[in-house]
Every structure is written in structure tokens, then in C-alpha cells.
Amino acid sequence: MGRRILILGGTSEARELVKGLLDEGLHDVTLSLAGALGDGTKASFRDRLKKTDLSRLYIRIGGFGGPDGLSAYLQAEAIDLLIDATHPYAAQISQNAHQAANRCQIGFVRLERPAWEPLAGKCWIEAKDLNDAATCIPQGARVLLAVGRQSAKPFQARTDCHFLLRSIAPANVVDFGGNFSFCQAMPGKTIEEEIQLLQEKEISCLVTKNSGAKRSYHKIAAAHELGLDVVMIKRPILPDCRIFNNLDTILDWLKG
């Protein structure tokens, strides 16, 4: 019997999960993408799945209004399974989802990409959060700051360092200070691309979150290759629930 599933997305894993579910054709799927990005986001997503039957997919854009709004949505749409496939650092969304699912007494699971692990002999400084990461940066470092523009504020106090803030979304470095410069770009497609950037900008330290994404690891590998300091921000503690670390296991579970 098919289920009515709501997927909280925004990651490549969420997109792959949607495709896997639609290919099976057993469930009605709603994909929620946070942020009011408009119809262009829907068109882009549908274009990536153009060989998939999308008749049982609904895409919604924007937030729900906290756990209360999400609970109301789950009840109104008769959702019986909520899947959290958001970014590992989207802690508030995950907390809201867990709370709403419990209120509505429906299933709640998380699809979570595995975290990166440190390599023996490589400089890997683990920081418990953004504020801790700011204190871990060596004095006078030139830093590639790959934490997203909304997470850059704690580093403003380190006026002894220069920061190259790389972000997919635009940012105004004037808001951060004269020791910040900005690069609006996706992570490099190859390790060689990342090495070139690190060398051109004379970077001595990389600060990043442990997202676990394959493409994002290129910058870690590049920093290791050049012998740079890597400050890795630990993942936040998320609500206790059943976790799947790859697509096949969650699809097999849904078939059961």
C-alpha cells in the first residue's frame, strides 16, 4: 500500500530519494524546499528529473512556520511519513520536523550522508561550533572560509586574519570588515581546481563544516595535499530517530 510522504529536501540525497520513490511508483511524494526561491526552483528540479514520471510528485517552496505550522500541514495533507533529508547543519529544521512528527504521531526518519573522517598524519583541528572554530585558526592565517555567508559572523573578531568567504549565495563583504573578501562560487569540481584556488589566494588555513558531500571534499583533499591547517566544525546534535546513510537502505526499508 502506498504512503503519503513528505521529504524535507535541499540536498542531492533528497533529489535521489525523490527519483527512487517515483521510479517505484508506489507512493505520493511531496518535496519541500526551504527558502522562497520561486517557480524557477521547481522548474530546475523537474528538469533534472525529466526522464522520471512526476505525476505523483508535488513540490512546495518555503518554510512551514515552525513546528506548529508543520504539524498543521502534516494533518491537512494526511502525511503518514516525514523524511528529513536536509543539510546536516540545518538543526532547527530537523528539530521542528521531529517535534511535528511526534505531535502528529507519524513516522519520522532521516537520510543523512556520512561525515568525513580525519586522515592519519594530516592536520585536522576539530571545533565544536562556529565560535570555537574562530579561536582555532592560527594567528595571522589566510583563511578559506567555506561555512556559508550566514555562518561567517563569529569570525569577524579575528582581525589578525584575512578571510576569503566562498559561498553559493551572494554576500556583501562590507558587512563583515576590511579583512574579508568574497568569492561567489560552487565548490571546485576537482581537487586540482581547489589546489589552484588555494595557491592563487595564498591560503594557509581552511575552515569548513563536515557536510560529508563528495564534491565538497575536494577542498579538504586539496588542503591536505598542500599541508594546510584544516579546521573542521563538528555536526550539531540532531533529534534521536532512525537514520539511513545511503539511498538503497532507505528504499529497501520503504518496500518492507
Side-chain angles (χ1 to χ4, degrees):
M1 180 178 177
R3 309 180 77 166
R4 291 181 61 81
I5 300 174
L6 172 61
I7 299 172
L8 304 180
T11 60
S12 58
E13 289 79 11
R15 184 173 66 250
E16 292 167 1
L17 175 59
V18 167
K19 184 179 186 307
L21 290 172
L22 294 178
D23 286 345
E24 290 180 354
L26 299 176
H27 309 287
D28 292 318
V29 180
T30 297
L31 172 67
S32 176
L33 300 173
L37 301 178
D39 290 337
T41 301
K42 294 183 182 181
S44 175
F45 189 90
R46 290 180 182 277
D47 186 61
R48 293 182 183 186
L49 298 178
K50 55 188 174 183
K51 294 183 179 180
T52 301
D53 180 6
L54 303 179
S55 61
R56 302 187 74 170
L57 172 67
Y58 172 70
I59 301 174
R60 69 176 302 280
I61 304 293
F64 292 93
D68 292 340
L70 180 52
S71 297
Y73 182 89
L74 295 174
Q75 292 174 333
E77 298 298 324
I79 301 296
D80 54 36
L81 176 63
L82 178 57
I83 301 177
D84 179 8
T86 59
H87 193 277
Y89 288 79
Q92 189 59 61
I93 297 175
S94 295
Q95 294 283 357
N96 291 346
H98 183 258
Q99 187 175 341
N102 282 344
R103 284 185 189 177
C104 297
Q105 297 183 322
I106 65 170
F108 176 72
V109 299
R110 187 162 63 249
L111 176 58
E112 181 179 283
R113 60 178 73 136
W116 300 317
E117 298 292 339
L119 297 178
K122 302 297 183 181
C123 183
W124 177 293
I125 305 167
E126 193 164 74
K128 63 182 180 181
D129 54 29
L130 292 166
N131 291 319
D132 187 36
T135 67
C136 291
I137 299 171
Q139 186 78 16
R142 291 184 60 84
V143 182
L144 174 59
L145 190 59
V147 297
R149 60 185 176 85
Q150 294 181 332
S151 299
K153 189 174 181 179
F155 300 91
Q156 289 180 271
R158 291 299 305 269
T159 55
D160 60 299
C161 300
H162 180 271
F163 294 93
L164 174 61
L165 173 60
R166 183 168 72 182
S167 172
I168 298 172
N172 185 356
V173 293
V174 175
D175 296 337
F176 298 105
N179 60 326
F180 276 77
S181 56
F182 178 65
C183 173
Q184 183 178 357
M186 294 283 290
K189 294 180 180 179
T190 65
I191 296 173
E192 290 71 25
E193 279 188 28
E194 297 288 49
I195 288 176
Q196 182 178 0
L197 173 68
L198 295 173
Q199 290 179 325
E200 286 181 354
K201 301 299 183 180
E202 299 180 335
I203 299 298
S204 61
C205 178
L206 167 66
V207 178
T208 188
K209 296 176 179 178
N210 197 331
S211 73
K214 292 180 180 179
R215 177 168 171 175
S216 294
Y217 189 77
H218 292 328
K219 62 180 177 285
I220 314 295
H224 285 335
E225 180 72 20
L226 296 174
L228 308 185
D229 295 315
V230 175
V231 177
M232 186 66 64
I233 302 166
K234 292 178 64 175
R235 292 182 175 184
I237 297 174
L238 299 180
D240 185 34
C241 69
R242 184 163 188 171
I243 298 173
F244 296 91
N245 291 128
N246 63 69
L247 182 64
D248 290 339
T249 55
I250 191 170
L251 288 176
D252 287 344
W253 176 73
L254 285 166
K255 291 176 184 176

